[in-house]
Amino acid sequence: MKYIAAYLLASLANPKVTKNSITNILNSVGANVDDEQVEQLLAELKNKDINELIASGRSKMATVPTGGSRSAAPAAAAPTTSSAPAPTPVAVVEEKKEPEPEPEEEEDLGLDLFG
């Protein structure tokens, strides 16, 4: 993740991201840099538009279950340009809560610690 984050930061300054720019960003925050991972990332992203990659990733993430509570209302999804069907909203189920019993008052046992 740190390599991808450094790539995205470097791409803001210059669309032609280099190994040196990623290494400089990671070194500036004291992170260890594995040159092989930087080279692999650059090889996989070579000749690809980062904005298109992010857009395709968003459409894939829209179908991933997030695991939250079933009783929560679903969050509104950002509009996408994909042809994938929109997720169906989940019905909100209200649970009946029983009133909590009021705490019983403590009996005075005749013990007074402060007097």
Side-chain angles (χ1 to χ4, degrees):
M1 290 299 292
K2 65 183 176 184
Y3 299 105
I4 295 171
Y7 182 92
L8 291 172
L9 284 172
S11 70
L12 291 174
N14 185 0
K16 302 268 185 194
V17 179
T18 64
K19 178 181 174 182
N20 190 34
S21 61
I22 293 174
T23 303
N24 287 341
I25 290 171
L26 293 173
N27 286 335
S28 72
V29 295
N32 295 330
V33 179
D34 182 0
D35 290 335
E36 289 179 18
Q37 287 188 335
V38 174
E39 290 172 5
Q40 180 183 4
L41 175 69
L42 289 173
E44 291 195 23
L45 296 178
K46 186 176 183 179
N47 298 326
K48 294 183 181 175
D49 181 27
I50 193 67
N51 294 321
E52 289 177 10
L53 291 173
I54 291 172
S56 69
R58 280 188 183 152
S59 65
K60 290 178 184 177
M61 291 298 293
T63 61
V64 175
T66 58
S69 171
R70 290 184 183 198
S71 63
T80 61
T81 58
S82 70
S83 61
T88 56
V90 178
V92 176
V93 178
E94 292 185 28
E95 296 179 17
K96 293 182 181 179
K97 292 185 179 181
E98 295 181 22
E100 294 183 21
E102 294 186 25
E104 297 178 15
E105 293 185 27
E106 296 181 19
E107 290 183 29
D108 184 18
L109 299 177
L111 300 174
D112 188 8
L113 296 175
F114 301 106

